[in-house]
Amino acid sequence: MSSNIKVSRAQRQAQTREALIAVAREMFLADGYNATSLDKVALRAGFSKGAVYSNFAGKEELCMAVLDSIHEEQIIGVVRAFTQDTDLDGRIEAFSAWAREGLGQPRWTALEVEFGAIARQSSYVATELVKRHRAIRVAIADLVRQVTAEAGIEGVDADQAATALLSLGIGLGTLRSLDQTIDVGVFADTMRALLSGTQA
């Protein structure tokens, strides 16, 4: 009986956490990090401020969870493109189609930049952002190894390719958040060069 109660409490807490992340995501994207308070998030989500603090140590941790949810969606989009049932060129085209819609969304790019600036004052934010960027690079490197192996391509340094692609993606995403007319074709061309083992 007690184990069932514990499970239901754990489930309720997980649901509360997800609800807070969803509401905070809306508010952070609409109003920015600085303008969004935990009080406002709690009020809009229909919870007490104590419920926020029982799930997150503070606003920084809540925003990190929001960014995690955005990054997870991006990674799913990239993986989906590169697991299409087609050749490498077709997969790069599928990625380009995703990138035209998913790369450089103004609101989440602005949030990333605003939150990233906090890393100068917060060792927690700096450490967590470094940890996440490393994890993303590892995931991209694994994907590079997979797609090049399936395409029968040798000699590609997956770790270097992952660093180059992530850096280009961040830079291009920032540019496109300001100017949506910038095409992602350069990303696709660079990716073709990197994944074929030739120089861009």
Side-chain angles (χ1 to χ4, degrees):
M1 184 76 165
S2 61
S3 63
N4 289 336
I5 293 172
K6 286 179 183 176
V7 168
S8 65
R9 281 179 183 164
Q11 288 172 337
R12 281 198 302 275
Q13 182 160 9
Q15 289 168 353
T16 300
R17 180 182 172 84
E18 290 306 310
L20 289 168
I21 291 172
V23 169
R25 176 170 170 161
E26 263 180 45
M27 297 180 73
F28 283 139
L29 291 177
D31 305 324
Y33 179 80
N34 287 327
T36 302
S37 69
L38 292 183
D39 283 328
K40 290 178 181 177
V41 172
L43 183 63
R44 184 174 296 184
F47 297 109
S48 66
K49 192 172 180 180
V52 179
Y53 278 108
S54 70
N55 284 277
F56 303 97
K59 190 164 79 162
E60 290 177 353
E61 189 175 298
L62 177 57
C63 189
M64 198 72 71
V66 167
L67 290 176
D68 284 345
S69 73
I70 293 171
H71 293 160
E72 185 178 350
E73 289 174 6
Q74 290 178 286
I75 290 169
I76 288 170
V78 173
V79 170
R80 187 175 293 133
F82 278 100
T83 51
Q84 296 280 324
D85 187 16
T86 182
D87 60 12
L88 180 58
D89 200 58
R91 289 176 175 181
I92 291 174
E93 284 305 316
F95 167 80
S96 294
W98 168 82
R100 284 186 185 95
E101 298 297 323
L103 194 64
Q105 294 297 318
R107 294 195 308 168
W108 62 252
T109 302
L111 178 61
E112 293 251 24
V113 171
E114 184 183 7
F115 190 63
I118 295 169
R120 295 182 64 182
Q121 289 84 35
S122 170
S123 60
Y124 165 76
V125 172
T127 300
E128 290 301 311
L129 288 177
V130 167
K131 187 190 305 181
R132 281 159 173 78
H133 285 151
R134 285 177 179 166
I136 291 170
R137 283 204 309 273
V138 168
I140 294 172
D142 289 343
L143 191 57
V144 167
R145 290 187 187 93
Q146 177 187 329
V147 298
T148 52
E150 289 174 359
I153 297 170
E154 298 180 354
V156 176
D157 187 320
D159 295 315
Q160 283 189 359
T163 299
L165 291 172
L166 179 60
S167 300
L168 181 57
I170 291 171
L172 191 58
T174 302
L175 285 174
R176 291 192 84 236
S177 73
L178 300 171
D179 182 1
Q180 287 287 309
T181 65
I182 294 175
D183 192 35
V184 297
V186 63
F187 204 167
D189 292 342
T190 303
M191 188 174 291
R192 282 190 185 91
L194 285 169
L195 298 185
S196 65
T198 62
Q199 292 186 348

